[in-house]
Every structure is written in structure tokens, then in C-alpha cells.
Amino acid sequence: MDFKLTEEHIMIRDAARDFAKTELLPGVIERDEKQEFPKELVKKMGDLGFLGMMASPEYGGGGMDTISYILVMEELSKIDASASVMVSVNNSLVCWGLDTYGSEEQKKKYLTKLTTGEKLGAFCLSEPEAGSDATSQRTTAIDQGDHYILNGTKNWITNGSSADYYLVIAQTDREKKHKGINAFIVEKGVEGFEIGPKEQKMGIRGSDTHSLNFNDVKVPKENRIGEDGFGFKFAMKTLSGGRIGIAAQALGIASGAYELALDYSKQRKAFGTEICNHQAIAFKLADMYTSIEASRHLVMRAAWDKDQGQNYDLTGAMAKVYASKTAMDVTTEAVQVHGGNGYVKEYHVERLMRDAKITQIYEGTSEIQKIVISRGILKD
Ligand code: CAA
């Protein structure tokens, strides 16, 4: 394994770092407060190529590797995890899924617009009663010959109202269990498709999360992804790659909080010296830095596996479970290093602490990652 970054990697990482500092940082506290994310910023991320990084160039994608993607995810997440979750869902769950498993027509019609940021995507698997237990889909897609009729509710959908195209997982034949599940492309605005109220969230408040209702929504058969019954595998495969992106998001949240704590500790004085000179603080910084570097190695390893065409289910799950715990631990300690200032918005670390929590929940909770890891190590 060689984790040395190439010139291209450094260029894309620096472009993301610069964008995060100049474009994301100025309004990040307000966006968190108001729970909004302006369309102009989404467009700018599209113009920079952040929304379809790994997709094939013939469909407008950047044709980049997973390492480039995680570098961008880390840099954006240091400043604004609401921006990076949009990037993550659009890249890993929507563009990658369509690029890898979509038909030629689907790629031409949908992927070309998603990779450039002209349109935004959402991935709709979770339901009120099927979050971790993803095979228990209640949303139905009944085969009517040349089309399907969708009925049901999806919950906690990232980009819920801002997306244009939705990848929706639904049960076609309950008797076949996971082999009776399909994935469909649903366009915003079709009859019977309603966007529910916005969730009032603890963190990543800039990103819009909604429930979605499907009431007799007609979906043409050509919008099914893959063969009949492929939907569950489609969801699992896309989520496996998605988990590497969320691990990188967690790494970014942790490193953003660490950098703020380090800077603060070098300026803030107590008991006659900068607080970084007290072991009580220096040891915290040492622990933070060590767990961040360990997370970075796991995230890089998972991305490297994916780029080498090796199985990344196990390494992606390990990266996510470890980096998301690190994000929680490091942000909590960063608030502690800041003392009273850490508890107020202008110092940013309280937001990062709130944002960190979701990385232990979405795209598979930490408990789900441990199921994947234990199955991976016990299977031989
Ligand atoms: N790749 C390919 N196939 C896979 C797979 C993978 N990674 N994981 C499972 N499968 C296949 C299995 O091989 C099996 O197929 P066969 O019967 O043909 O062998 C089939 O899928 C069923 O597998 P399991 O028996 O292992 O299924 P299970 O019910 O035990 O569930 C699970 C496994 C890992 C717990 C899975 O349900 C899971 O990952 N749950 C979490 C779902 C999740 O991540 N939800 C997040 C929502 S999306 C989101 O958060 C997006 C957002 O907006 C940010």
C-alpha cells in the first residue's frame, strides 16, 4: 500500500480546502441556525466538479479515484458537514450507483445532469420501520406491465426537498424477501409524490432532511435499476462505498475540531502560560491527534481497496465505525479545551460536536458496521 498523494490529489485537496475556507466558512453558523443551504453554493460545488467526482467522464463525471473523493470530503467536512453530506450522497450513493448499475439510457438521461450539479440526487432506503433492518421494506412497487405503482413512506432522506432525482428502494414481491426488492429512479414533481416536512435536526442542520410520501406514483419500467429483484444488492453495494465517504466526513469533522482546539490552546492563557503548556491540555491534543491519524489510515485503506478493485465492505465498515467514534471523542474534547467559549456558536466546535453524532448513525449505525465487520472476519 502506498498512501503517498499524487500531484493531482494535492491539487484537488487544495481546491476543496480553499473553497471550504472562502465559500463555506463565512455563512456556516447562519446556515446551521436557519437550517438552509443556498442553491448558489450547490452550483459552485458542481462547477468545481465535487458532485460527480468518481463518475465516468463520458457522463460528465470527473473519472477520479476514491482517494481524491475522500480528500475532498475531509476538507469540506472540516468546515461544513452539511455541504459534505450533499457531496457524499450525490457522489457515492446516487452517481456511483447509476454509473455502475444504470442502463445506457438512464446514464444519458439522469447521470449526465447529476455529475455536473445541474440536478441533485437523493437515496431513499430508510423507512419509519426499516432503518437498520433494510430488508423489511414496506414501500411497495407493484408491477403493472410497462410501469410500476409505488406506495409508501421514506424517512430521514438527505436532500429530501432539494433533490431532483430520487433513487427509491421498494418491495415488489414480499414473498421473495430481499430478492423481491427493486430500485427505481423517481423524478421530482410526478403525480402522487409528496415531500413531507423538514426534520428539525441536532446537527448537519444546513442539509435538508425530509420524509417522502409515495401515493400511487407511476414509475416507467425503464426507470428500474438492474434486473428484477436487484434492488437490495444495489442498496448494499452503494452503501458499502458510501460508508467510506461518511468515514471521511467523520475524519474531517474530527480534524476540523482538532485544528481549532490546537490554535485556541496556543493563544489562550491560564495560570501564567498558554494552556497548551499544561499537560492536562497537551495530553488531550496528543490523544486527539493519534486517533485522527489512526482514522486517516483506515479511511485511506478502505479507499485504496476500492481503487484497487478489492473488496471494501470490511475495511469501509472499520473506517466508518472508528472514524465516527473519533469524531465524537475529538469534538467533545475540543469543546472541553475551549472551556466556556466551546459552548457558544462563534467558536464552531459546538456545531462540529453536534454534526459528529450523525456519522455514527446514517449509512448504517455503528452497530450495523460491527455486524458487517464481524461477518467479514468470521466468514472463512
Ligand atoms: N454487497 C453485496 N451484497 C450484499 C452486501 C454487500 N455489501 N451485503 C449484503 N448483501 C447481500 C447478501 O449476499 C444477501 O444476498 P444472497 O441472499 O443472494 O446471498 C443479501 O444481500 C441479504 O444479505 P443479509 O442476509 O446479510 O441481510 P441482512 O438482512 O442480514 O442485513 C445488513 C444485512 C448489513 C444489516 C443490512 O441490512 C444493512 O446494511 N443495514 C443498514 C442499512 C443502512 O445502512 N441504512 C442507511 C440508510 S441510507 C442513508 O443513511 C443515506 C443518507 O441519506 C445519508
Side-chain angles (χ1 to χ4, degrees), residues 16-31:
R17 188 173 288 175
D18 187 53
F19 172 78
K21 282 196 180 137
T22 57
E23 302 280 353
L24 293 179
L25 183 59
V28 67
I29 294 175
E30 255 190 320
R31 293 195 296 276

PDB file of all heavy atoms in Angstrom, residues 16-31:
ATOM      1  N   ALA A  16     -10.467  22.000  -2.650  1.00  0.00           N
ATOM      2  CA  ALA A  16     -11.548  21.825  -1.670  1.00  0.00           C
ATOM      3  C   ALA A  16     -11.280  22.646  -0.412  1.00  0.00           C
ATOM      4  O   ALA A  16     -12.181  23.273   0.152  1.00  0.00           O
ATOM      5  CB  ALA A  16     -11.703  20.343  -1.313  1.00  0.00           C
ATOM      6  N   ARG A  17     -10.012  22.670   0.005  1.00  0.00           N
ATOM      7  CA  ARG A  17      -9.644  23.423   1.222  1.00  0.00           C
ATOM      8  C   ARG A  17      -9.924  24.910   1.015  1.00  0.00           C
ATOM      9  O   ARG A  17     -10.494  25.585   1.868  1.00  0.00           O
ATOM     10  CB  ARG A  17      -8.154  23.191   1.509  1.00  0.00           C
ATOM     11  CG  ARG A  17      -7.685  23.741   2.813  1.00  0.00           C
ATOM     12  CD  ARG A  17      -6.259  23.327   3.095  1.00  0.00           C
ATOM     13  NE  ARG A  17      -6.134  21.920   3.427  1.00  0.00           N
ATOM     14  CZ  ARG A  17      -4.974  21.289   3.633  1.00  0.00           C
ATOM     15  NH1 ARG A  17      -3.841  21.947   3.526  1.00  0.00           N
ATOM     16  NH2 ARG A  17      -4.943  20.006   3.947  1.00  0.00           N
ATOM     17  N   ASP A  18      -9.543  25.383  -0.157  1.00  0.00           N
ATOM     18  CA  ASP A  18      -9.722  26.796  -0.479  1.00  0.00           C
ATOM     19  C   ASP A  18     -11.221  27.142  -0.560  1.00  0.00           C
ATOM     20  O   ASP A  18     -11.667  28.146   0.007  1.00  0.00           O
ATOM     21  CB  ASP A  18      -9.037  27.037  -1.839  1.00  0.00           C
ATOM     22  CG  ASP A  18      -9.034  28.500  -2.171  1.00  0.00           C
ATOM     23  OD1 ASP A  18      -8.585  29.271  -1.329  1.00  0.00           O
ATOM     24  OD2 ASP A  18      -9.527  28.862  -3.273  1.00  0.00           O
ATOM     25  N   PHE A  19     -11.985  26.284  -1.226  1.00  0.00           N
ATOM     26  CA  PHE A  19     -13.428  26.508  -1.349  1.00  0.00           C
ATOM     27  C   PHE A  19     -14.079  26.529   0.044  1.00  0.00           C
ATOM     28  O   PHE A  19     -14.912  27.385   0.353  1.00  0.00           O
ATOM     29  CB  PHE A  19     -14.053  25.407  -2.220  1.00  0.00           C
ATOM     30  CG  PHE A  19     -15.553  25.443  -2.251  1.00  0.00           C
ATOM     31  CD1 PHE A  19     -16.219  26.376  -3.035  1.00  0.00           C
ATOM     32  CD2 PHE A  19     -16.311  24.558  -1.488  1.00  0.00           C
ATOM     33  CE1 PHE A  19     -17.612  26.429  -3.052  1.00  0.00           C
ATOM     34  CE2 PHE A  19     -17.696  24.610  -1.493  1.00  0.00           C
ATOM     35  CZ  PHE A  19     -18.348  25.546  -2.285  1.00  0.00           C
ATOM     36  N   ALA A  20     -13.669  25.582   0.893  1.00  0.00           N
ATOM     37  CA  ALA A  20     -14.270  25.496   2.231  1.00  0.00           C
ATOM     38  C   ALA A  20     -13.988  26.772   3.024  1.00  0.00           C
ATOM     39  O   ALA A  20     -14.883  27.306   3.695  1.00  0.00           O
ATOM     40  CB  ALA A  20     -13.741  24.271   2.970  1.00  0.00           C
ATOM     41  N   LYS A  21     -12.761  27.262   2.917  1.00  0.00           N
ATOM     42  CA  LYS A  21     -12.400  28.458   3.707  1.00  0.00           C
ATOM     43  C   LYS A  21     -13.048  29.724   3.154  1.00  0.00           C
ATOM     44  O   LYS A  21     -13.511  30.570   3.914  1.00  0.00           O
ATOM     45  CB  LYS A  21     -10.884  28.630   3.723  1.00  0.00           C
ATOM     46  CG  LYS A  21     -10.240  27.676   4.709  1.00  0.00           C
ATOM     47  CD  LYS A  21      -8.820  28.056   5.042  1.00  0.00           C
ATOM     48  CE  LYS A  21      -8.240  27.047   6.035  1.00  0.00           C
ATOM     49  NZ  LYS A  21      -6.891  26.654   5.734  1.00  0.00           N
ATOM     50  N   THR A  22     -13.059  29.854   1.830  1.00  0.00           N
ATOM     51  CA  THR A  22     -13.549  31.117   1.268  1.00  0.00           C
ATOM     52  C   THR A  22     -15.060  31.138   1.073  1.00  0.00           C
ATOM     53  O   THR A  22     -15.697  32.172   1.242  1.00  0.00           O
ATOM     54  CB  THR A  22     -12.866  31.435  -0.081  1.00  0.00           C
ATOM     55  OG1 THR A  22     -13.097  30.331  -0.948  1.00  0.00           O
ATOM     56  CG2 THR A  22     -11.382  31.674   0.074  1.00  0.00           C
ATOM     57  N   GLU A  23     -15.659  29.998   0.738  1.00  0.00           N
ATOM     58  CA  GLU A  23     -17.086  29.988   0.398  1.00  0.00           C
ATOM     59  C   GLU A  23     -17.974  29.386   1.496  1.00  0.00           C
ATOM     60  O   GLU A  23     -19.093  29.827   1.692  1.00  0.00           O
ATOM     61  CB  GLU A  23     -17.326  29.199  -0.902  1.00  0.00           C
ATOM     62  CG  GLU A  23     -16.569  29.734  -2.103  1.00  0.00           C
ATOM     63  CD  GLU A  23     -17.254  30.940  -2.740  1.00  0.00           C
ATOM     64  OE1 GLU A  23     -18.382  31.285  -2.351  1.00  0.00           O
ATOM     65  OE2 GLU A  23     -16.631  31.537  -3.631  1.00  0.00           O
ATOM     66  N   LEU A  24     -17.465  28.355   2.168  1.00  0.00           N
ATOM     67  CA  LEU A  24     -18.336  27.693   3.160  1.00  0.00           C
ATOM     68  C   LEU A  24     -18.254  28.346   4.540  1.00  0.00           C
ATOM     69  O   LEU A  24     -19.269  28.503   5.218  1.00  0.00           O
ATOM     70  CB  LEU A  24     -17.993  26.204   3.278  1.00  0.00           C
ATOM     71  CG  LEU A  24     -18.273  25.317   2.058  1.00  0.00           C
ATOM     72  CD1 LEU A  24     -17.850  23.879   2.332  1.00  0.00           C
ATOM     73  CD2 LEU A  24     -19.752  25.366   1.666  1.00  0.00           C
ATOM     74  N   LEU A  25     -17.051  28.722   4.936  1.00  0.00           N
ATOM     75  CA  LEU A  25     -16.878  29.241   6.297  1.00  0.00           C
ATOM     76  C   LEU A  25     -17.711  30.502   6.588  1.00  0.00           C
ATOM     77  O   LEU A  25     -18.367  30.558   7.638  1.00  0.00           O
ATOM     78  CB  LEU A  25     -15.380  29.481   6.576  1.00  0.00           C
ATOM     79  CG  LEU A  25     -15.023  29.948   7.992  1.00  0.00           C
ATOM     80  CD1 LEU A  25     -15.475  28.936   9.041  1.00  0.00           C
ATOM     81  CD2 LEU A  25     -13.515  30.181   8.122  1.00  0.00           C
ATOM     82  N   PRO A  26     -17.723  31.503   5.686  1.00  0.00           N
ATOM     83  CA  PRO A  26     -18.401  32.750   6.043  1.00  0.00           C
ATOM     84  C   PRO A  26     -19.845  32.609   6.550  1.00  0.00           C
ATOM     85  O   PRO A  26     -20.205  33.277   7.496  1.00  0.00           O
ATOM     86  CB  PRO A  26     -18.347  33.558   4.736  1.00  0.00           C
ATOM     87  CG  PRO A  26     -17.132  33.042   4.030  1.00  0.00           C
ATOM     88  CD  PRO A  26     -17.081  31.580   4.364  1.00  0.00           C
ATOM     89  N   GLY A  27     -20.655  31.744   5.960  1.00  0.00           N
ATOM     90  CA  GLY A  27     -22.058  31.697   6.397  1.00  0.00           C
ATOM     91  C   GLY A  27     -22.437  30.444   7.171  1.00  0.00           C
ATOM     92  O   GLY A  27     -23.622  30.160   7.382  1.00  0.00           O
ATOM     93  N   VAL A  28     -21.424  29.696   7.630  1.00  0.00           N
ATOM     94  CA  VAL A  28     -21.744  28.367   8.166  1.00  0.00           C
ATOM     95  C   VAL A  28     -22.587  28.420   9.453  1.00  0.00           C
ATOM     96  O   VAL A  28     -23.486  27.594   9.650  1.00  0.00           O
ATOM     97  CB  VAL A  28     -20.460  27.503   8.325  1.00  0.00           C
ATOM     98  CG1 VAL A  28     -19.523  28.041   9.388  1.00  0.00           C
ATOM     99  CG2 VAL A  28     -20.814  26.052   8.600  1.00  0.00           C
ATOM    100  N   ILE A  29     -22.331  29.416  10.305  1.00  0.00           N
ATOM    101  CA  ILE A  29     -23.089  29.489  11.566  1.00  0.00           C
ATOM    102  C   ILE A  29     -24.551  29.845  11.270  1.00  0.00           C
ATOM    103  O   ILE A  29     -25.479  29.241  11.815  1.00  0.00           O
ATOM    104  CB  ILE A  29     -22.436  30.504  12.539  1.00  0.00           C
ATOM    105  CG1 ILE A  29     -21.061  29.961  12.963  1.00  0.00           C
ATOM    106  CG2 ILE A  29     -23.319  30.769  13.757  1.00  0.00           C
ATOM    107  CD1 ILE A  29     -20.241  30.908  13.825  1.00  0.00           C
ATOM    108  N   GLU A  30     -24.724  30.811  10.352  1.00  0.00           N
ATOM    109  CA  GLU A  30     -26.095  31.219   9.958  1.00  0.00           C
ATOM    110  C   GLU A  30     -26.862  30.071   9.310  1.00  0.00           C
ATOM    111  O   GLU A  30     -28.037  29.865   9.593  1.00  0.00           O
ATOM    112  CB  GLU A  30     -25.992  32.327   8.920  1.00  0.00           C
ATOM    113  CG  GLU A  30     -26.306  33.681   9.467  1.00  0.00           C
ATOM    114  CD  GLU A  30     -26.418  34.665   8.335  1.00  0.00           C
ATOM    115  OE1 GLU A  30     -25.619  34.591   7.400  1.00  0.00           O
ATOM    116  OE2 GLU A  30     -27.339  35.500   8.417  1.00  0.00           O
ATOM    117  N   ARG A  31     -26.193  29.338   8.440  1.00  0.00           N
ATOM    118  CA  ARG A  31     -26.890  28.222   7.762  1.00  0.00           C
ATOM    119  C   ARG A  31     -27.334  27.173   8.773  1.00  0.00           C
ATOM    120  O   ARG A  31     -28.409  26.607   8.669  1.00  0.00           O
ATOM    121  CB  ARG A  31     -25.983  27.582   6.686  1.00  0.00           C
ATOM    122  CG  ARG A  31     -25.676  28.487   5.503  1.00  0.00           C
ATOM    123  CD  ARG A  31     -25.098  27.700   4.338  1.00  0.00           C
ATOM    124  NE  ARG A  31     -23.814  27.090   4.597  1.00  0.00           N
ATOM    125  CZ  ARG A  31     -22.638  27.698   4.491  1.00  0.00           C
ATOM    126  NH1 ARG A  31     -22.575  28.954   4.106  1.00  0.00           N
ATOM    127  NH2 ARG A  31     -21.515  27.054   4.745  1.00  0.00           N
TER     128      ARG A  31
END
